[in-house]
Amino acid sequence: MADEKKSRIIMLSAVINKDSAKTVIEEILKINKEDAEREKKEKDFKREPIELIVNSNGGAVYDGFSIVATIDSSKTPIHTYVYGYAMSMGLLVAVSGHKRFGSRFSTFMYHQISSNPTGKIEEISNSLEEYLRLETVYDEYLLSKANIQKSELDETKKLKMNWYISSDEALKLKLIDEII
């Protein structure tokens, strides 16, 4: 039993990039495959949750979205735990859990997508359109998972601020389901 539990714990404690996303996605898919095989063999098999521990200051939006999409499509429930911090793209990964937990020491942070586009004016314009699209997708997903108003996100962006959120506030905003 202890080995089974251990194999269901995944750590995301780095910048979100193609390597960290690959590791998380592979583990989720592996556990889902094992659970599907057990479901076929065991009559009363019940999928036990995967525990995804998020301690990340964020990173690449595309890579973060790939983790979120994998969590969304997982038949095995994924519970996210934030003991330290979930910021930027780390926030979106944390709120994508089927059940979400934070410690009393947790800090969550939302801010506008950032980038440093370079190139010719037309390339920069094209990149800006894509960044705005990504930000819309990010915000819509966050709004669908939490009790946050669009005006709160807009105000944060207007003031060019980072919005730091304590675990108590995260619970009120439904970013997490429970403080542990």
Side-chain angles (χ1 to χ4, degrees):
M1 182 69 163
D3 288 337
E4 182 178 313
K5 185 75 169 167
K6 185 177 180 201
S7 68
R8 291 182 176 274
I9 297 173
I10 302 169
M11 295 283 299
L12 176 59
S13 59
V15 171
I16 297 171
N17 59 29
K18 65 180 181 175
D19 295 327
S20 61
K22 178 181 183 283
T23 300
V24 170
I25 291 167
E26 283 177 344
E27 285 299 309
I28 291 170
L29 295 177
K30 180 182 95 174
I31 293 169
N32 269 273
K33 183 179 179 194
E34 290 167 358
D35 285 356
E37 290 170 5
R38 287 185 65 190
E39 266 180 339
K40 290 177 188 173
K41 295 176 185 174
E42 300 173 31
K43 180 182 173 194
D44 295 324
F45 177 74
K46 181 178 181 274
R47 291 176 186 247
E48 292 297 320
I50 296 168
E51 296 179 7
L52 175 59
I53 299 166
V54 179
N55 194 49
S56 175
N57 60 358
V61 177
Y62 293 116
D63 297 319
F65 280 153
S66 68
I67 295 171
V68 169
T70 304
I71 292 170
D72 278 350
S73 67
S74 176
K75 283 184 76 177
T76 299
I78 299 176
H79 295 179
T80 53
Y81 293 82
V82 178
Y83 296 108
Y85 55 94
M87 300 182 176
S88 192
M89 200 63 211
L91 170 64
L92 208 66
V93 171
V95 302
S96 69
H98 300 119
K99 190 151 188 194
R100 306 173 307 246
F101 302 90
S103 79
R104 64 188 179 106
F105 304 109
S106 301
T107 300
F108 302 84
M109 189 269 287
Y110 168 86
H111 65 179
Q112 189 170 29
I113 288 177
S114 60
S115 181
N116 294 316
T118 59
K120 297 176 187 164
I121 291 174
E122 191 56 42
E123 293 167 329
I124 293 171
S125 176
N126 189 23
S127 294
L128 179 59
E129 286 177 31
E130 177 61 0
Y131 298 140
L132 291 170
R133 183 189 73 81
L134 292 173
E135 186 168 84
T136 298
V137 172
Y138 182 108
D139 287 356
E140 286 174 356
Y141 188 86
L142 184 61
L143 293 169
S144 76
K145 295 294 240 177
N147 187 22
I148 297 174
Q149 302 302 311
K150 185 175 182 323
S151 61
E152 292 173 288
L153 301 182
D154 292 342
E155 184 68 14
T156 300
K157 289 183 264 191
K158 179 179 156 190
L159 298 174
K160 299 179 182 171
M161 294 175 33
N162 294 332
W163 179 14
Y164 291 97
I165 304 166
S166 69
S167 55
D168 287 331
E169 189 178 4
L171 185 62
K172 288 177 189 159
L173 295 171
K174 298 194 184 311
L175 293 171
I176 57 174
D177 300 308
E178 185 178 331
I179 296 175
I180 51 173

